[in-house]
Amino acid sequence: MSEALRFEILGPQRAWYADRPLDLGPGKQRAVLAVLLLAAGRPVPTGQIVDAVWPEEPPANGPNVVQKYVAGLRRVLEPDRSPRTPAQVLTLTDAGYVLRIPPEAVDAVRFERGVRRARQWQAAGRTEDALAEVTGALERWQGEPFTGFTGAYFDAARHRLVELRAVALETRTELELASGRHGELVGRLVELVAEFPVRERLRHQLMLALHRGGRQAEALAAYRDFADLLREEYGIEPGEALQDLHRRILRSDPTLTLPVPPVSPASPALPAPPARSGPPASSAPSAPTSVPAPRAGGTPDGTGLPDGSTSAEPEAAALQPTPAPIPDATGPAAGPAPTPSATGPAPAAAPVPPAAPGWAAGPVGPLTPVPHALLVAMNQPADTTADRRAPGWVRLAATLAGTATVLVSFGSLTWAVVLGYALWRRSWRLALAGIGYFLLVFSVFVLAVSSPETEEISDGEAIYLIVAMGTCWLLGTAHVVLLNPTLWAAVGGLFWTGRQRTDEQRRLRREQARYLLHHYPAARVDLRIGRPDLLRTYDDGGLVDVNAVPDPVLATLPGLTVDQRRQVAVDRWLRGPYGSLEELAGRCHLPPAAAETLRDVLLFLPPEPPPVRHS
């Protein structure tokens, strides 16, 4: 019976028995079914159903109401069952109600598995197979899920599925770019950027597609528009990957064009990875390969860049920094494995870790050891590692010149100095402040000109002149001085408590650790980042690699109850590693508030491959 049932939640909620559509009943009954579908094959406690379906005003007799809707669902899902025959599809256990259907009966499960298989095949170099798989998965999307259902439970599930669709769209675009289809991608990418305006990976792909299509000016304009959006709305800069692409487009970097595939003997086809929800098993290649640069953080893309960007954008293989040349006549690292030379076999390399959601697939160069000088610098908590501002001497000179201008002019030129800073930083807030100073100075000038020379000004006018010029002179001087980031940070530090200062230092260390993971993948093993259970000397600010730490560490995660921590550990053991914070929240049914407390401390790195055994 259950094998003939099919359910759709990626859009309007619908169900079929064989080819016959089913009437799922009233809205609350549909909501109960949606909760059970999200946990198909697993028991759902009655209290959890009540909290999800009635988040604000649960009924006084909640279990009885749930039982009534469950009875209605049983009649719909098993129309041929007699009233006295035990239910086979929707049953009651000691742990709660269980919807006994194959996971593949729900379109959301097929969608998620299709996206994962596509990313696995992408990591294995099977571009066409990966493109066909992710395209098929996206065709199952019929619209936003759970429309009409409110509450934290459905909001978290909806956000997770929408995020997964965004990752699928980015993956498809990345595959099509790798296949040389940039000419037909621009129009679709413009629509996707409008739908997801702050996802940097889509902006990255749009700029690359425009550049490869010979539209360099439009690619630079796309970057400028996105940078202005981030500065005005969030007060941040674009991520390091996007800035690097912008610089490379400016200098017409030839490596941004599609590489010419090398001519080499045909190699046996790779076997398809098993269709399972977890990551594929690692394999040990026999030739030197490259390891994807890790992306740490809490988004499905696994971002966690030090600039605090709101979305992640793993670089495509062609956009990675060119590694040091390796003596090899067979072509780039992206080609087939080189054959052993006459001098001896190629040395065995570390296995490639499997691709996970938010991790760049494809070769990106060999593991680079962490420079010792960088580690020494990062042990100093004073500054972040990725400072993209002007050099310190330029900021100091600007502060001295601006302050002197304000003091010498008695505040009459404060507006010019602040507007200059506004143009330099492209800040509309500073522009408004500069206009305010100008209006004060202009009002003083008008008042002075309009007053007859033979008459004395009134007391009110005198007070206004003093206040206006004092504001432009004294307050303007302080304003210009505090526009220096170093001085502003020093003044702000005077008002911090010891706890706030410690928290800020730990935040900076977490950003530094994520920077290391992004640029030096070897730091994961060398420094044991995210592993508080291991003996180490590097301070990563309290990061936790949720896929690697033992259960006792999971029992200390902040912001979660004891039951929620236990659920995270059990779900990881049953269903495999997590790819993003949204996936963790969806699988463990965490409320959004509890999930947000974990965003700053969790890493979602793929499991480390087992050591290679040499015979």
Side-chain angles (χ1 to χ4, degrees):
M1 171 66 187
S2 61
E3 289 77 7
L5 288 168
R6 292 183 296 113
F7 299 89
E8 288 186 357
I9 58 176
L10 298 179
Q13 187 182 17
R14 295 179 291 186
W16 288 265
Y17 174 63
D19 294 329
R20 184 182 66 187
L22 301 177
D23 183 5
L24 298 178
K28 293 300 182 183
Q29 184 168 299
R30 289 172 172 268
V32 171
L33 176 60
V35 175
L36 296 172
L37 287 173
L38 287 173
R42 292 181 286 131
V44 183
T46 304
Q48 182 174 326
I49 297 176
V50 173
D51 293 339
V53 179
W54 296 274
E56 297 180 357
E57 298 181 358
N61 55 345
N64 293 336
V65 177
V66 171
Q67 185 178 10
K68 181 188 75 171
Y69 288 130
V70 167
L73 288 172
R74 284 171 174 166
R75 289 191 296 270
V76 172
L77 301 179
E78 298 180 84
D80 301 330
R81 181 181 62 88
S82 61
R84 297 185 179 182
T85 304
Q88 300 296 323
V89 177
L90 182 49
T91 62
L92 177 63
T93 67
D94 294 338
Y97 288 101
V98 182
L99 187 61
R100 300 187 183 277
I101 59 173
E104 296 79 8
V106 184
D107 63 342
V109 175
R110 298 196 302 274
F111 173 72
E112 181 175 357
R113 291 183 177 181
V115 175
R116 288 185 176 178
R117 281 195 297 270
R119 293 180 69 83
Q120 292 167 8
W121 289 357
Q122 180 188 21
R126 301 175 59 174
T127 301
E128 293 302 323
D129 291 338
L131 184 56
E133 186 70 38
V134 73
T135 301
L138 286 169
E139 288 175 353
R140 296 189 177 96
W141 188 273
Q142 303 296 323
E144 185 174 282
F146 310 122
T147 54
F149 299 156
T150 59
Y153 185 89
F154 289 113
D155 288 345
R158 183 185 302 110
H159 178 75
R160 173 177 174 270
L161 291 173
V162 171
E163 190 72 23
L164 184 61
R165 172 178 173 260
V167 173
L169 290 168
E170 292 169 343
T171 301
R172 182 178 67 178
T173 304
E174 185 175 311
L175 291 167
E176 290 176 331
L177 281 172
S179 301
R181 305 178 188 178
H182 47 269
E184 58 194 69
L185 280 177
V186 173
R188 188 199 307 161
L189 279 171
V190 170
E191 296 177 355
L192 292 177
V193 163
E195 183 178 358
F196 303 99
V198 293
R199 293 190 74 91
E200 291 200 10
R201 191 178 178 192
L202 288 174
R203 301 277 184 166
H204 193 287
Q205 293 167 344
L206 174 60
M207 291 172 58
L208 184 59
L210 288 169
H211 177 71
R212 287 182 176 176
R215 301 160 68 175
Q216 183 180 17
E218 293 178 65
L220 297 175
Y223 175 84
R224 183 172 59 252
D225 294 342
F226 183 54
D228 292 342
L229 171 67
L230 292 184
R231 293 189 192 103
E232 294 178 4
E233 298 295 332
Y234 305 100
I236 60 176
E237 295 290 329
E240 184 64 34
L242 209 61
Q243 293 197 27
D244 179 66
L245 177 61
H246 178 244
R247 290 189 292 266
R248 296 171 70 185
I249 291 176
L250 282 173
R251 62 174 184 264
S252 299
D253 191 337
T255 62
L256 291 180
T257 58
L258 283 172
V260 179
V263 179
S264 60
S267 57
L270 292 172
R276 49 172 294 187
S277 58
S282 301
S283 60
S286 59
T289 56
S290 55
V291 180
R295 297 276 183 170
T299 66
D301 301 71
T303 194
L305 300 178
D307 52 52
S309 53
T310 57
S311 179
E313 69 308 335
E315 296 93 342
L319 302 182
Q320 295 293 342
T322 305
I326 301 175
D328 187 358
T330 61
T339 57
S341 62
T343 59
V352 180
W359 288 67
V364 294
L367 283 174
T368 305
V370 184
H372 176 72
L374 181 60
L375 292 180
V376 173
M378 283 192 169
N379 281 330
Q380 308 298 325
D383 296 310
T384 59
T385 57
D387 187 3
R388 294 183 294 274
R389 299 171 300 191
W393 67 269
V394 174
R395 298 198 300 271
L396 178 61
T399 301
L400 293 177
T403 305
T405 301
V406 173
L407 290 174
V408 171
S409 66
F410 293 96
S412 60
L413 293 180
T414 303
W415 62 273
V417 175
V418 175
L419 286 178
Y421 269 101
L423 292 175
W424 183 17
R425 297 184 179 180
R426 299 182 181 179
S427 170
W428 62 269
R429 294 182 178 87
L430 286 179
L432 290 179
I435 294 174
Y437 286 125
F438 175 79
L439 292 178
L440 283 176
V441 173
F442 184 74
S443 65
V444 170
F445 174 78
V446 170
L447 185 61
V449 171
S450 60
S451 299
E453 297 181 359
T454 57
E455 297 182 6
E456 294 184 357
I457 60 176
S458 64
D459 294 340
E461 293 175 339
I463 293 175
Y464 178 80
L465 291 175
I466 294 174
V467 171
M469 293 308 299
T471 299
C472 293
W473 190 28
L474 301 179
L475 183 61
T477 300
H479 190 181
V480 172
V481 169
L482 293 179
L483 286 177
N484 186 297
T486 304
L487 295 177
W488 174 254
V491 172
L494 297 177
F495 300 96
W496 283 356
T497 63
R499 175 66 180 273
Q500 290 174 326
R501 187 175 291 106
T502 301
D503 291 345
E504 178 65 12
Q505 291 176 355
R506 289 176 64 83
R507 184 189 66 80
L508 292 177
R509 289 188 179 277
R510 288 193 293 269
E511 291 184 354
Q512 293 166 358
R514 288 192 169 101
Y515 177 88
L516 284 176
L517 286 173
H518 173 52
H519 291 281
Y520 304 96
R524 174 184 181 180
V525 177
D526 296 344
L527 305 180
R528 298 173 179 175
I529 294 176
R531 297 299 304 274
D533 55 306
L534 300 179
L535 183 63
R536 57 184 181 169
T537 57
Y538 180 77
D539 182 6
D540 60 10
L543 291 174
V544 175
D545 183 359
V546 71
N547 293 328
V549 296
D551 292 349
V553 178
L554 296 180
T556 64
L557 291 178
L560 301 183
T561 65
V562 175
D563 291 338
Q564 289 170 340
R565 293 166 180 164
R566 186 182 300 113
Q567 176 66 22
V568 171
V570 172
D571 184 83
R572 184 184 68 173
W573 179 72
L574 289 175
R575 304 173 63 184
Y578 301 102
S580 67
L581 181 63
E582 285 71 21
E583 180 180 352
L584 185 150
R587 282 166 51 176
C588 300
H589 306 291
L590 300 181
E596 282 300 319
T597 60
L598 303 175
R599 188 176 296 278
D600 195 38
V601 298
L602 289 189
L603 297 175
F604 295 88
L605 307 179
E608 294 187 62
V612 180
R613 296 181 179 179
H614 301 283
S615 57

